């Protein structure tokens, strides 16, 4: 769901952010008084909404999300704006076409292995790259 919904606003790889936000919200929903008192070793007044703790903990969690998103957005816009201004974000067009890994790993290909064993069909797909290394000084003599 997170990948499909953020695809509309052109975010690349949103899973970590969306799942992280869900983890923060889940704390405001599902944290129990007993668990928090055990963790923090003192009495707790605010805990998960679904365990009778009210909206205070969930509200704090949501404020935390807003603060983190604001902080990250500010620095991302600043840093990417500066690097974009000096044309440091893009690679050359040929590297874009051949793949940015081609400089360090050489040409790559995708390999596919199909197996059929004990009535189960499995397919594996992986990338194979040849690693190019420069010759050592000993090889030049």
């Amino acid at each position: 769901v997170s990948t499909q919904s953020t695809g509309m606003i052109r975010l690349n790889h949103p899973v970590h952010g969306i799942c992280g936000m869900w983890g923060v919200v889940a704390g405001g929903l599902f944290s129990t008084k007993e668990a928090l008192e055990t963790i923090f070793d003192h009495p707790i007044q605010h805990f998960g909404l679904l365990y009778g703790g009210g909206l205070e903990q969930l509200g704090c969690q949501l404020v935390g999300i807003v603060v983190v998103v604001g902080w990250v957005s500010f620095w991302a816009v600043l840093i990417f704006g500066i690097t974009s201004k000096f044309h440091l974000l893009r690679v050359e067009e040929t590297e874009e076409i051949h793949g940015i890994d081609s400089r360090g790993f050489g040409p790559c290909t995708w390999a596919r292995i199909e197996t059929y064993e004990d009535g189960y069909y499995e397919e594996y797909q992986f990338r194979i790259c040849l690693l190019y290394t420069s010759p050592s000084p000993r090889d030049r003599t």
Side-chain angles (χ1 to χ4, degrees):
V1 173
S2 69
T3 304
Q4 292 170 349
S5 62
T6 53
M8 292 183 282
I9 55 175
R10 299 182 61 187
L11 285 177
N12 193 11
H13 301 292
V15 174
H16 299 292
I18 300 296
C19 292
M21 287 182 211
W22 165 245
V24 172
V25 169
L29 292 173
F30 301 113
S31 58
T32 64
K33 184 174 183 171
E34 296 78 23
L36 291 175
E37 286 177 347
T38 301
I39 292 168
F40 294 111
D41 199 28
H42 63 79
I44 299 292
Q45 295 176 352
H46 307 295
F47 48 96
L49 175 67
L50 298 179
Y51 286 90
L55 288 172
E56 293 86 1
Q57 185 65 43
L58 181 60
C60 289
Q61 304 294 93
L62 294 174
V63 168
I65 289 173
V66 170
V67 168
V68 169
V69 167
W71 178 260
V72 168
S73 298
F74 169 78
W75 285 107
V77 167
L78 182 71
I79 291 169
F80 288 125
I82 291 170
T83 55
S84 178
K85 185 79 172 166
F86 292 104
H87 307 289
L88 299 173
L89 284 179
R90 301 296 299 237
V91 296
E92 294 178 16
E93 188 176 352
T94 55
E95 278 188 281
E96 228 175 87
I97 293 168
H98 295 290
I100 200 163
D101 292 341
S102 64
R103 180 188 296 174
F105 294 104
C108 297
T109 186
W110 285 94
R112 192 169 109 195
I113 298 174
E114 297 176 8
T115 61
Y116 186 78
E117 197 172 306
D118 297 330
Y120 293 101
Y121 172 78
E122 293 186 29
E123 181 179 320
Y124 302 96
Q125 190 171 1
F126 53 93
R127 193 168 185 202
I128 299 175
C129 297
L130 300 174
L131 181 61
Y132 287 125
T133 59
S134 59
S136 70
R138 290 180 296 193
D139 296 338
R140 294 185 202 155
T141 57

